[in-house]
Structures are given as C-alpha cells and as structure tokens.
Amino acid sequence: MQIAILSGKGGAGKTLLAVNLVNLIDEANLIDCDVEEPNGIFYFPIDYKKTDVNILVPKIDDKKCTHCNKCVDFCRYNALIDFLGKVKLLPSLCHSCGGCKLVCEFDAITEREEPIGVIYQGDYKNHKIFGGELNIGKESGIEIISQLIDKADKKTVNIIDCPPGNGCSVMESIEEADYCILVSEPTVFGLENLKLVYELTTIYNKKIGLIINKANSYNNVIEDFAKSNAIKILGYIPFDKELSKLNSNQKIVSDNKRFKPYFNKIIEQIRQEVDL
Amino acid sequence: MIIALPTKTSGEKAFISENLGRANYFYIYDTDKVDGKSFINNFQNEAHGAGVKTAEFLMKYSTDILITPRIGEKALEILLETDIKIYKATEKIARENINDFLNDKLEELY
C-alpha cells in the first residue's frame, strides 16, 4: 500500500503528517521523496546507510564527432552545445534520456556515470526509513526519487512524503501511489496551492483525501472547496504553538499524549478508504 | 568589432531586456560597418537552457562584446570559455549603451 502525501506549497505539513503516520502505523515505512530539502530522516535519530546515486550522461568522443549536430538539435533540454570545435555537455541540464547516443550515426557518444546525490536508509523500531538528498547545484532529483521508491517493499505500507508543488518530481513520487493525501492550511493562499495538486491527482486518476493542517476558525476556506469537489476530509491538525515547537525540534508529536488522538483519528479515517 | 545586446523590442532604439536568455530580441551591432540588426530570440520560451542557446547564438554571430544587465549561470559558464567580454548595460536604449561602451563608460562584468 503506497500512500503519497502532497501539498501545493512548502510548509503545509506534509512531513509532519508523514512522520506521524509512520510512527503510529505498525510496520509502516517512510519514503521521503523531497530530495531537495530532505528533513524526514531528522525525526528518526538512527544510523543511516548511505548509497550514492548516479545518472548516465553522454560522453563525446571528439575524434569520432563530425559536428553533424544531430545530438545538439535532438536535445530537448539544450544540454549539448557545439562550441569552440567541441560538442560540450552541460550536465545540470541533462535528463539522462540517452537520446543523443541513439541519434549519433558515428558512435561518437558513450555514457558515463555522474553522481547526483545519495540515498539514506535505516531502521527505526519496526519501520524502515528512506530519504534522499540531491547534491547542491544539481537540478533534477528524479533519479533519486525513482530509486527511493524502488527500494521500499511494495507489500508493506509505505508513506511517501512528496516534494512540494505539482512538478516532475511530485509526479514521479505519486506515480505508483494507491492513495494520495493532500495537506492544506486554511488560507486563501493554501487553497490556491491545493487546487494545483488536486488538479494533478485528478489527471493521474488517484483516490484522494484531505487533511487541514494549522486548523483554525477559517477552515471553511478549504472545507467549501472539499465539499464542492466531493473530496473527503480525513482530519485536522490543530494550529498549536506547542505542536509547532515540538515539531520544529524534530520531535515526533504523536508521541505526545495531547496530539496523538488527532493522528489516530486521521488513521482511522484512512482505514475507511484503503486497506492499511 | 561585433557588439550584442538583449533588447525588449527591435531596432537600435529598443530598451535593454532585463534578461539575457529570455530576451525578446538581440541587437547585433558591427562597429566596422557602422550598422546593426535585430534578431528575434527563437529560444525565449525554451523550458530549459535558453541561456545555452543564447551563448550559441552569440558565438554564431562572432560576438566580441556582450552588453547585458545580467547573465544566467549557464550562459556565463559557456561564455567565460570564449573571448567574448561582458559589460553591464544601463537602463538606456541599445544605441546609447553602445555609445557608452565605445566611450569606455560601461563597467566590465567578466
């Protein structure tokens, strides 16, 4: 069972929810796919095994290259440039599609590995915790996300903490998800961002539920939208100073007596939607 | 000497574009011929690597001097390997920026 947690903006509460669901669901694993700002692993102070992640990028043999520029014209990402008598690669733009190698008629292109980041893996009680980190200066963490998702056992409950937004890295994260939980905060800005991820999950035809984080007296901003689109509200996380303080100190708030019931209630609601 | 500038509209009276790779036009001026021409930036709406394509374009027209208010990381990475010198544009129109450059009034960026 793959459950992805999404939100249109950063700071909505994806990681807060993900970490606490993992904590309360027996044998659930965490897959933190936000490789650009990974913080899921901070909540679980355990020893992590680190594995390097590489992508394949083209290597051009200047002796074989005839400067026909087929590869340069082919590259949708403009990662190749023919200049100063050499076809040069800009690795940060390369998406590792391998197309340049295919279109080269002179066998001038081979592939080499380029390191882009690492994967962290560790055990916390009976949970497996996975996280990835994209190296500074690299533009796309898709390969790390893809390897992260492959690492987790699909037969168990995996909570996938997505990157914010609705871009490529989020699509990669939710692709295999059986259920998507959207997290929003009750502001007009929060609503606009929620609409973006809602649209994405609709395109992907995903079963979804909604959590309102930082719940306060303005919840109706989100509730009205949920009602008019027939989205089930799974629960609320209160707008609470103590909760924020605990969370920002990397404490798992569902270990606290006061906050545990909110998350248990959410899990109860999720169980009505999917088999955990 | 060939001087290139990113501009908002075409012609020598055009204002300078805030961006290089995403500029609407490039104005290319030849000091020997005392003549310039505007080119539409075909790569303005590229999802990726507009700066790379711009650098390629500037090389194609044998640019010696680039006058721009700012330059992106990728275009710079490429242009630093060339002999193209980069100067900081002011808010004046293209023609005046060229004159200011010729009178040594512009700051060299790279």
Side-chain angles (χ1 to χ4, degrees):
Chain A
M1 174 57 58
Q2 320 289 310
I3 299 180
I5 300 178
L6 304 84
S7 80
K9 67 186 274 293
K14 291 179 296 299
T15 306
L16 169 70
L17 180 68
V19 162
N20 286 287
L21 291 185
V22 169
N23 188 41
L24 296 181
I25 299 171
D26 197 32
E27 290 188 3
N29 306 323
L30 175 71
I31 310 176
D32 184 1
C33 287
D34 188 0
V35 299
E36 287 172 38
E37 265 175 327
N39 57 354
I41 62 170
F42 296 158
Y43 292 86
F44 306 96
I46 48 175
D47 284 331
Y48 287 99
K49 192 182 115 196
K50 272 167 82 174
T51 323
D52 290 328
V53 179
N54 298 307
I55 54 165
L56 291 175
V57 297
K59 192 179 156 193
I60 293 110
D61 185 340
D62 297 326
K63 285 186 195 115
K64 287 185 183 169
C65 178
T66 62
H67 298 272
C68 70
N69 278 359
K70 276 210 167 119
C71 57
V72 175
D73 295 337
F74 176 83
C75 184
R76 285 281 300 275
Y77 304 102
N78 297 325
L80 291 168
I81 173 170
D82 188 358
F83 108 121
L84 299 181
K86 271 187 179 178
V87 172
K88 184 182 148 82
L89 169 77
L90 290 119
S92 62
L93 287 171
C94 179
H95 282 54
S96 306
C97 73
C100 50
K101 190 182 161 197
L102 292 177
V103 298
C104 182
E105 292 169 13
F106 304 95
D107 274 342
I109 298 181
T110 50
E111 285 176 318
R112 67 171 174 87
E113 286 190 331
E114 166 98 1
I116 56 158
V118 290
I119 281 179
Y120 297 95
Q121 186 178 343
D123 293 300
Y124 174 78
K125 296 177 186 168
N126 59 1
H127 310 282
K128 284 196 163 54
I129 311 297
F130 299 93
E133 189 175 342
L134 181 66
N135 289 347
I136 290 170
K138 295 291 169 196
E139 297 198 3
S140 171
I142 299 282
E143 180 59 25
I144 304 175
I145 295 171
S146 158
Q147 289 194 18
L148 269 173
I149 289 178
D150 286 347
K151 269 192 185 296
D153 180 3
K154 301 288 177 298
K155 289 184 202 103
T156 59
V157 175
N158 294 309
I159 306 291
I160 302 167
D161 186 10
C162 294
N166 60 352
C168 298
S169 51
V170 178
M171 295 181 205
E172 184 73 28
S173 308
I174 67 166
E175 205 162 6
E176 291 178 35
D178 303 298
Y179 190 65
C180 290
I181 301 176
L182 314 184
V183 185
S184 182
E185 52 187 41
T187 61
V188 175
F189 181 47
L191 174 64
E192 289 307 311
N193 288 297
L194 171 65
K195 285 178 185 169
L196 295 175
V197 275
Y198 171 65
E199 197 188 339
L200 180 73
T201 52
T202 312
I203 292 168
Y204 272 77
N205 219 352
K206 296 286 181 191
K207 203 172 169 193
I208 62 165
L210 177 66
I211 302 279
I212 298 180
N213 183 26
K214 303 173 200 175
N216 58 23
S217 53
Y218 297 104
N219 291 345
N220 62 324
V221 173
I222 304 295
E223 285 165 344
D224 290 350
F225 175 76
K227 203 172 171 189
S228 56
N229 290 285
I231 306 169
K232 177 167 177 171
I233 295 179
L234 300 166
Y236 299 82
I237 302 170
F239 191 37
D240 186 286
K241 204 171 181 177
E242 194 192 342
L243 186 150
S244 298
K245 218 171 176 178
L246 285 171
N247 189 52
S248 60
N249 284 310
Q250 302 160 33
K251 296 283 181 291
I252 301 174
V253 296
S254 53
D255 283 340
N256 178 298
K257 260 195 296 211
R258 234 188 98 207
F259 303 116
K260 191 173 177 178
Y262 289 101
F263 294 97
N264 271 333
K265 222 171 155 184
I266 290 168
I267 292 169
E268 217 171 275
Q269 291 294 317
I270 299 172
R271 282 190 208 277
Q272 289 184 16
E273 301 295 303
V274 290
D275 265 341
L276 286 187
Chain B
M1 183 167 53
I2 308 287
I3 303 174
L5 310 94
T7 56
K8 287 182 177 170
T9 51
S10 70
E12 60 169 22
K13 287 179 181 160
F15 281 104
I16 302 294
S17 164
E18 287 101 359
N19 300 312
L20 178 64
R22 310 273 173 201
N24 297 333
Y25 291 87
F26 296 111
Y27 186 68
I28 306 277
Y29 183 79
D30 187 333
T31 53
D32 299 332
K33 292 182 190 157
V34 203
D35 192 21
K37 195 182 167 200
S38 278
F39 295 85
I40 275 199
N41 179 6
N42 290 323
F43 301 103
Q44 185 187 11
N45 296 320
E46 289 285 292
H48 305 269
V52 177
K53 286 292 172 195
T54 300
E56 206 173 47
F57 172 86
L58 296 174
M59 303 278 295
K60 190 174 141 197
Y61 284 92
S62 322
T63 305
D64 300 297
I65 304 294
L66 170 65
I67 303 176
T68 180
R70 55 178 293 277
I71 179 163
E73 194 186 353
K74 276 157 221 130
L76 182 63
E77 185 188 328
I78 295 163
L79 292 181
L80 282 181
E81 288 184 40
T82 69
D83 294 329
I84 298 177
K85 284 201 157 43
I86 306 166
Y87 285 82
K88 187 161 174 54
T90 61
E91 282 173 7
K92 297 175 184 174
I93 60 170
R95 178 70 247 179
E96 287 169 346
N97 266 288
I98 293 169
N99 286 342
D100 285 349
F101 165 75
L102 295 173
N103 293 317
D104 282 333
K105 282 185 191 163
L106 293 186
E107 178 198 342
E108 187 174 341
L109 282 176
Y110 296 99

